[in-house]
């Protein structure tokens, strides 16, 4: 039972912002949105998470709509090393595991 | 090194053989997870430990699979009588028992069953 919907793939240009969408229309009030990415032949890497408010860290920004039914991960200046599969995951606060979908394969092109 | 270590990184075995993977989590992390990932798919949850207690096992974890975490430190995942369908990347992750519960993953152990 997928809780999130992401496009299977997207391209973006090196140096430009990459905006990765995620739909989570059935999200409930105690569920957080997490983003991970997986570079080829590596384990998934945590990027950012949020509940209601927009969040920013050194890697990315997370914009969550007011109704919380969708979110966007923004990589402000994409580099070739950002080429990876990006996973948007919804998790109940206090739950210990993550359930991954198929993610979005992001290819950054020079 | 403060990351999650997995060993071996690659294992090729013949069908019917037993294999064991080891995971060394980040030392202060009390939660440990095993996931399996096949080509083109996202990781699938297998099992979870809090300290030495195995608190959840997925339906994916058949009786040929066993995981342990003695003394709440490193963990092992053993697969007995391997089948070709067991070919996958086996990922280990660890986390602290905090609200954010951010999982840190290892690089994985890739299993190929011939």
């Amino acid at each position: 039972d997928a809780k999130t919907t992401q496009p299977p793939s997207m391209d973006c240009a090196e140096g430009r912002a990459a905006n990765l969408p995620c739909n989570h229309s059935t999200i409930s009030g105690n569920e957080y949105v997490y983003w991970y990415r997986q570079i080829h032949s590596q384990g998934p890497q945590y990027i950012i998470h949020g509940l209601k408010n927009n969040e920013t860290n050194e890697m990315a920004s997370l914009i969550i709509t007011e109704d919380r039914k969708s979110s966007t991960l923004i990589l402000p200046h994409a580099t070739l090393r950002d080429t990876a599969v990006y996973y948007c995951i919804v998790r109940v606060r206090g739950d210990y595991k993550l359930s991954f979908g198929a993610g979005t394969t992001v290819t950054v092109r020079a | 090194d403060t990351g999650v270590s997995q060993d071996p990184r690659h294992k090729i075995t013949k069908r019917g053989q037993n294999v064991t993977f080891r995971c060394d989590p980040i030392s202060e992390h009390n939660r440990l997870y095993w996931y399996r990932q096949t080509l083109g798919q996202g990781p699938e949850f297998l099992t979870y430990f809090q300290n030495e207690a195995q608190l959840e096992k997925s339906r994916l974890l058949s009786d040929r699979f066993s995981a342990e975490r003695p003394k709440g430190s490193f963990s092992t995942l053993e697969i007995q009588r391997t089948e070709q369908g067991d070919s996958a990347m086996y990922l280990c992750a660890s986390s602290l028992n905090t609200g954010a519960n951010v999982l840190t993953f290892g690089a994985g152990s890739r299993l190929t069953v011939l």
Side-chain angles (χ1 to χ4, degrees):
Chain A
D1 55 339
K3 290 188 172 185
T4 64
T5 304
Q6 299 178 254
S9 64
M10 61 183 292
D11 287 359
C12 62
E14 187 180 22
R16 304 293 295 271
N19 297 299
L20 283 61
C22 179
N23 286 324
H24 30 78
S25 58
T26 61
I27 194 169
S28 60
N30 63 344
E31 289 183 313
Y32 285 72
V33 179
Y34 284 74
W35 284 83
Y36 280 72
R37 73 179 182 183
Q38 188 172 23
I39 295 169
H40 184 61
S41 296
Q42 298 183 21
Q45 175 192 24
Y46 167 79
I47 301 173
I48 198 166
H49 75 282
L51 181 64
K52 296 180 185 177
N53 300 321
N54 298 337
E55 302 288 345
T56 295
N57 63 20
E58 65 278 5
M59 291 183 69
S61 295
L62 174 60
I63 308 299
I64 302 174
T65 57
E66 192 169 345
D67 64 8
R68 302 187 67 240
K69 292 185 177 182
S70 66
S71 60
T72 301
L73 179 74
I74 301 173
L75 307 178
H77 305 286
T79 71
L80 298 179
R81 287 178 295 181
D82 291 323
T83 291
V85 179
Y86 286 76
Y87 299 100
C88 171
I89 301 164
V90 165
R91 189 175 78 178
V92 175
R93 180 179 175 84
D95 193 7
Y96 45 79
K97 65 179 184 284
L98 297 172
S99 297
F100 290 81
T104 296
T105 298
V106 174
T107 303
V108 180
R109 302 193 185 278
Chain B
D1 184 6
T2 58
V4 176
S5 299
Q6 292 190 245
D7 183 71
R9 290 294 312 280
H10 303 275
K11 178 72 176 179
I12 299 173
T13 191
K14 293 182 179 179
R15 189 175 52 188
Q17 298 294 305
N18 299 343
V19 296
T20 299
F21 301 113
R22 177 181 169 119
C23 172
D24 286 274
I26 293 173
S27 58
E28 61 266 29
H29 285 185
N30 58 345
R31 293 179 167 177
L32 187 144
Y33 313 76
W34 285 97
Y35 282 77
R36 181 177 70 185
Q37 186 173 27
T38 53
L39 201 61
Q41 304 297 315
E44 298 171 294
F45 171 79
L46 291 179
T47 190
Y48 157 70
F49 289 85
Q50 179 146 322
N51 300 311
E52 67 276 8
Q54 188 174 20
L55 298 185
E56 184 176 347
K57 294 197 294 185
S58 161
R59 290 171 297 174
L60 294 174
L61 212 65
S62 76
D63 54 8
R64 294 186 298 106
F65 288 69
S66 62
E68 294 182 340
R69 192 184 183 197
K71 302 180 183 178
S73 55
F74 72 92
S75 176
T76 58
L77 176 69
E78 181 183 16
I79 309 173
Q80 295 183 326
R81 305 181 303 282
T82 53
E83 301 172 357
Q84 288 186 325
D86 297 331
S87 295
M89 176 75 83
Y90 290 86
L91 292 159
C92 177
S94 67
S95 70
L96 276 172
N97 186 7
T98 64
N101 197 38
V102 171
L103 272 64
T104 301
F105 283 83
S109 293
R110 180 166 295 284
L111 174 65
T112 301
V113 182
L114 302 176

